[in-house]
Amino acid sequence: MNGGWVEPCSISEYGQRKIKIKADSPLFEGLDKEQIVLMSHTDQIQELPEGFFVTASSETCPNVAIESVEKSLYGVQFHPETELTIHGEQIIRNFLYQICHAEGDYTLKNFIGEQIRSIREQIGDEKVILGLSGGVDSAVCAALLAEAVPGQAICIFVDHGMMRKNEGNEVEKAFATKSLEFIRVDAADRFLSKLAGVIDPEQKRKIIGNEFIQVFSEQAMLHDDAKFLAQGTIYPDVIESGSGKAATIKSHHNVGGLPKDLNFKGIVEPLRSLFKDEVRQLGSALGLPQSIVNRQPFPGPGLGVRIIGEITREKLHILQEADARFREEVEADCVPANQYFAVLTNLRSVGVMGDSRTYDYTLALRAVITHDFMTAEYAPIPHTTLSRLSKRITNEVKGINRIVYDITDKPPATIEWE
Ligand code: XMP
């Protein structure tokens, strides 16, 4: 729009890189001349638009940050919004307060008030149906609905059979006592028969998403007084599902249109603009117990994305048992990790147990340190914990004869294995 030229570059940059700040800029005020930032790109500006100046560059990328004070336009090639950009928060702060002159009068309390008003305005006296997964997002969404429209929310817990060990019962226990109508639908057979033979991860997500909507539709028809559908969609779901020209990284089943054959008047997504850490803060502010608020994130399609290859009952059972033991040991040793889970790879190999030969699965363990879940570092679990885990799982869980620990950060990997 301003002229200039962008082209694919010969050396792409992924991960943390050092950049040099080359000119005074309000964007970099208060920062040292060398900064560590997260780069993730295959394009570069080859020719600057007229009136723009370079304010930062890296070893291979000459135009990492540019600006035109006259036009009041500032651009950065790196990702200031992630933790891997060490002073990213300061850069965003500078942008908001120095450049845009924002006042910073937003508070979570205002947010709750605004959302309650907007939910009431949207729903009125009607009933609203919410899919409750037991995860933080839908729980906070439920709490917000209970606050905004008490007695009008019907929470449907679709048990797709791919929850962690005992999780279905825990969810039921936690929510059954709330002043919300709670319905548990045991739909494991339906999901598993649709997933039979499917190995492509995106297709699995789509099948689970569609079936989820199906089960929902059926429940909605039984509750045809509910005119609205609420979902705990959060901002990263919106970004990562791709929109417009952005590449679809993963389609998250919790972002979707309204089922066409249902007569919902509208969709309620009060958390759509929030990041995970904000959702947790909101949950605390709404008085939810810490056990729910600080729960680690769990994908909507559940263990379905943690079983590589075809999903079967047998594999689900193996993964549930192994994952429960992994989480137990990590918690017992107080390993600092924000998310930790097991993945059942599709790799089988020969092993030996006692006098017999086995041909069993390889289990991968994943634990990461992250706050925003957009970037993450693998958690350095002590070897003593890993050895204990390896012995315990191979001894106690039939079907696994080999265990590996994932030592990849995000990027280049993602947190989940799919
Ligand atoms: P990735 O694998 O993309 O995951 O690095 C980032 C975070 O998102 C979680 N995740 C999901 N959360 N619905 C969710 O609510 C989903 O479909 C979904 N898929 C991944 C993942 O566990 C990690 O914390």
Side-chain angles (χ1 to χ4, degrees):
M1 286 164 72
N2 288 284
W5 194 248
V6 173
E7 263 184 14
C9 49
S10 49
I11 306 173
S12 305
E13 289 179 301
Y14 293 109
Q16 283 187 310
R17 289 286 183 279
K18 195 187 282 176
I19 62 161
K20 288 201 166 132
I21 296 171
K22 305 191 94 178
D24 281 341
S25 165
L27 203 55
F28 301 127
E29 203 176 290
L31 299 186
D32 291 344
K33 292 290 172 220
E34 283 193 354
Q35 291 294 317
I36 302 294
V37 301
L38 175 71
M39 288 292 224
S40 182
H41 68 94
T42 51
D43 297 313
Q44 276 186 7
I45 301 175
Q46 298 297 344
E47 208 180 286
L48 285 178
E50 221 182 291
F52 280 77
F53 296 92
V54 178
T55 53
S57 53
S58 74
E59 203 173 311
T60 58
C61 182
N63 303 311
V64 166
I66 63 166
E67 68 185 47
S68 162
V69 179
E70 206 177 59
K71 294 183 174 161
S72 228
L73 288 175
Y74 296 76
V76 292
Q77 174 105 46
F78 57 90
H79 289 264
E81 77 282 15
T82 64
E83 287 164 11
L84 293 182
T85 295
I86 307 301
H87 293 111
E89 194 176 321
Q90 184 60 40
I91 295 170
I92 292 175
R93 229 168 241 289
N94 286 343
F95 179 71
L96 293 173
Y97 297 113
Q98 309 287 341
I99 298 170
C100 303
H101 306 295
E103 300 202 345
D105 52 1
Y106 162 92
T107 67
L108 206 57
K109 224 168 154 194
N110 292 348
F111 178 86
I112 296 175
E114 268 166 37
Q115 285 305 318
I116 286 180
R117 259 193 309 281
S118 120
I119 293 170
R120 283 187 187 150
E121 218 166 84
Q122 189 182 3
I123 297 178
D125 297 333
E126 308 282 7
K127 289 218 160 173
V128 55
I129 286 196
L130 167 74
L132 205 53
S133 67
V136 188
D137 306 343
S138 56
V140 173
C141 190
L144 200 54
L145 288 174
E147 193 85 16
V149 285
Q152 289 169 240
I154 303 165
C155 295
I156 295 171
F157 168 45
V158 177
D159 186 354
H160 50 34
M162 290 169 278
M163 308 290 283
R164 287 166 285 202
K165 189 179 177 185
N166 290 334
E167 198 166 34
N169 295 337
E170 282 165 20
V171 171
E172 184 160 5
K173 206 166 137 202
F175 288 97
T177 54
K178 296 262 178 290
S179 59
L180 297 157
E181 195 176 334
F182 181 92
I183 297 161
R184 178 174 179 172
V185 190
D186 180 5
D189 286 343
R190 290 176 57 161
F191 278 85
L192 290 178
S193 68
K194 289 262 160 57
L195 286 163
V198 180
I199 54 169
D200 177 66
E202 271 298 297
Q203 209 189 336
K204 284 193 226 170
R205 271 184 180 268
K206 291 212 164 90
I207 290 171
I208 296 171
N210 289 339
E211 198 55 25
F212 191 86
I213 297 285
Q214 272 298 319
V215 178
F216 238 82
S217 306
E218 290 165 18
Q219 287 298 320
M221 281 170 202
L222 295 176
H223 296 89
D224 57 0
D225 52 337
K227 300 290 182 228
F228 289 88
L229 179 71
Q231 298 196 104
T233 313
I234 66 169
Y235 192 57
D237 303 335
V238 178
I239 317 172
E240 295 194 1
S241 287
S243 63
K245 286 184 188 154
T248 300
I249 300 167
K250 283 174 192 173
S251 56
H252 288 245
H253 89 268
N254 33 357
V255 180
L258 283 176
K260 301 234 170 0
D261 51 347
L262 284 177
N263 288 325
F264 285 123
K265 274 194 198 162
I267 194 159
V268 184
E269 288 180 319
L271 313 180
R272 210 181 155 82
S273 63
L274 300 186
F275 284 99
K276 201 76 172 187
D277 49 343
E278 295 174 300
V279 175
R280 291 189 204 278
Q281 283 173 38
L282 179 61
S284 297
L286 287 166
L288 281 176
Q290 290 306 303
S291 57
I292 291 189
V293 168
N294 285 325
R295 199 161 206 168
Q296 25 176 327
F298 188 58
L303 299 182
V305 300
R306 296 180 181 166
I307 291 175
I308 314 301
E310 187 183 4
I311 301 168
T312 62
R313 260 189 201 281
E314 185 212 4
K315 282 181 168 180
L316 267 168
H317 178 72
I318 295 174
L319 183 55
Q320 277 171 339
E321 293 298 323
D323 177 71
R325 284 160 176 81
F326 177 43
R327 287 185 292 120
E328 224 175 273
E329 297 289 340
V330 165
E331 282 155 26
D333 281 6
C334 302
V335 174
N338 304 97
Q339 192 175 7
Y340 40 98
F341 54 87
V343 174
L344 191 63
T345 76
N346 211 19
L347 181 78
R348 294 174 84 190
S349 61
V350 173
V352 52
M353 267 186 199
D355 289 338
S356 42
R357 172 192 185 276
T358 56
Y359 188 59
D360 286 338
Y361 290 107
T362 297
L363 183 82
L365 304 177
R366 180 77 162 141
V368 292
I369 297 174
T370 176
H371 296 289
D372 60 10
F373 296 88
M374 292 187 292
T375 57
E377 284 173 72
Y378 79 86
I381 298 187
H383 266 276
T384 43
T385 313
L386 287 172
S387 328
R388 203 172 63 243
L389 267 162
S390 164
K391 289 186 182 72
R392 184 169 172 205
I393 295 175
T394 47
N395 274 318
E396 295 177 14
V397 183
K398 209 168 168 298
I400 293 170
N401 67 358
R402 203 176 287 270
I403 293 181
V404 295
Y405 185 52
D406 182 352
I407 52 165
T408 339
D409 296 337
K410 171 185 179 177
T414 53
I415 295 174
E416 300 288 344
W417 271 47
E418 53 180 339

